[in-house]
């Protein structure tokens, strides 16, 4: 190879490496400027283009039968708690049909610009007709024309991406029509999580993660391995059970440092039950 050609190729290679490095640094800076965290940081959920706050306001710490710890506050109490978070830069409303929190979120949405918040809900439907009915009902209950995110709630089957293809197709169709902006699942078994990591359909995954393995799909190391695969595939990973459904309530700094230090979570959701708890949590994220 002639010396001139060698120098040109070498320079091109160095230039490509420099651009790749700087693109990576720019992406990291966008997600976490100056290496510091804030609950109100603007993050992008995977490759969906959805921008929201790092901390999502959960409405179902323990949610079942259309009731949760948060909905026990009443429509006025929970909607005011959501608005209190909004005033502090939290833009992610994490709802679900099984929590019964749609009317509470709807009450909060009446007081904020719709395009300034990310509204997520979850369906238990496992067939096409059920998902269609849920999407219509959810939008009525939430008082919005569209959902930013709709997840299949609490998937546990290792073959769920084949078994529930009809439900998944309806969510894909809903995205094409602008009824939702992104789809995915919340995982409640390691088999389901591994299937989600491999599925091109999953855009956003809610995954249970904390340092002690409380209410998780497997031990932390095993779950983290699955989350790495998720991130490598360009999916958004939103952490849940960060405080182990209350088991780490007295160890918030440890739990938050763990979640933030993984470098795998686009965002995470925690349900507060009072303004003081919510404000304390946002402060702790900043010093984790």
């Amino acid at each position: 190879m002639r010396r001139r050609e060698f120098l040109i190729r070498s320079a091109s290679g160095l230039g490509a490496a420099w651009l790749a490095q700087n693109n990576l640094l720019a992406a990291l800076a966008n997600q976490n400027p100056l290496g510091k965290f804030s609950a109100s940081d603007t993050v992008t959920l995977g490759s969906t283009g959805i921008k929201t706050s790092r901390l999502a306001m959960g409405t179902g710490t323990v949610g079942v039968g259309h009731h949760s710890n948060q909905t026990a506050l009443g429509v006025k109490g929970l909607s005011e708690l959501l608005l209190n978070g909004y005033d502090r830069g939290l833009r992610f409303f994490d709802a679900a049909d099984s929590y019964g929190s749609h009317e509470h979120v709807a009450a909060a949405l009446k007081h904020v610009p719709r395009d300034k918040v990310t509204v997520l809900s979850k369906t238990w439907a496992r067939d096409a007709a059920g998902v269609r009915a849920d999407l219509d009902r959810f939008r009525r209950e939430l008082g919005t024309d569209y959902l930013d995110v709709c997840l299949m709630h609490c998937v546990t089957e290792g073959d769920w991406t084949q078994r529930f293809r009809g439900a998944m197709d309806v969510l894909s169709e809903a995205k094409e029509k602008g009824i939702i902006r992104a789809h995915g699942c919340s995982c409640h078994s390691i088999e389901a999580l591994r299937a989600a990591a491999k599925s091109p359909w999953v855009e956003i995954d809610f995954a249970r993660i904390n340092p002690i393995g409380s209410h998780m799909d497997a031990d932390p190391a095993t779950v983290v391995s699955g989350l790495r695969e998720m991130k490598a595939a360009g999916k958004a990973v939103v952490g849940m059970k960060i405080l182990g459904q209350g088991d780490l309530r007295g160890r918030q700094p440890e739990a938050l440092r763990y979640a933030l230090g993984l470098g795998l979570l686009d965002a995470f959701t925690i349900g507060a039950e009072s303004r003081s708890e919510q404000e304390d949590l946002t402060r702790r994220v900043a010093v984790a």
Side-chain angles (χ1 to χ4, degrees), residues 70 73 77 81 84 271-280:
Q70 283 70 34
L73 299 172
L81 185 61
N84 186 66
E273 297 177 30
S274 67
R275 289 190 182 190
S276 60
E277 184 180 8
Q278 183 185 71
E279 292 167 13
D280 177 68

Side-chain angles (χ1 to χ4, degrees), residues 46 102 117 159 211 215 244 258 284:
H102 288 168
V117 293
D159 65 346
H215 298 276
Y258 178 78
R284 290 181 184 277

Side-chain angles (χ1 to χ4, degrees), residues 47-205:
S47 57
T48 67
I50 296 173
K51 296 183 183 298
T52 191
S53 58
R54 186 179 302 282
L55 177 62
M57 292 181 282
T59 60
T61 301
V62 180
V64 64
H66 303 285
H67 182 270
S68 75
N69 295 35
Q70 283 70 34
T71 60
L73 299 172
V75 173
K76 184 174 185 293
L78 180 50
S79 64
E80 288 181 349
L81 185 61
L82 294 171
L83 292 172
N84 186 66
Y86 179 89
D87 289 342
R88 284 153 180 78
L90 306 185
R91 298 291 189 263
F92 198 163
F93 293 179
D94 171 22
D97 186 35
S98 64
Y99 307 160
S101 58
H102 288 168
E103 63 175 327
H104 308 71
V105 171
L109 288 176
K110 292 177 181 177
H111 301 282
V112 299
R114 175 64 184 87
D115 63 349
K116 298 299 183 184
V117 293
T118 300
V119 178
L120 176 150
S121 193
K122 314 176 190 80
T123 174
W124 272 92
R126 298 295 192 255
D127 59 73
V131 172
R132 285 197 184 91
D134 275 358
L135 288 174
D136 289 341
R137 177 169 58 86
F138 289 5
R139 287 181 293 155
R140 287 196 305 271
E141 292 174 351
L142 288 162
T144 181
D145 294 332
Y146 69 96
L147 302 180
D148 294 283
V149 183
C150 188
L151 304 180
M152 294 184 64
H153 202 172
C154 195
V155 294
T156 59
E157 298 84 354
D159 65 346
W160 72 269
T161 57
Q162 290 81 43
R163 187 183 300 194
F164 305 131
R165 174 53 60 182
M168 295 161 63
D169 287 345
V170 170
L171 288 170
S172 296
E173 177 186 315
K175 181 182 174 182
E176 292 174 3
K177 293 180 176 179
I179 293 171
I180 65 174
R181 296 176 64 196
H183 45 64
C185 63
S186 67
C187 293
H188 284 250
S189 78
I190 193 61
E191 293 79 14
L193 188 146
R194 286 170 175 157
K198 290 177 171 58
S199 171
W201 179 86
V202 174
E203 298 173 312
I204 299 178
D205 181 81

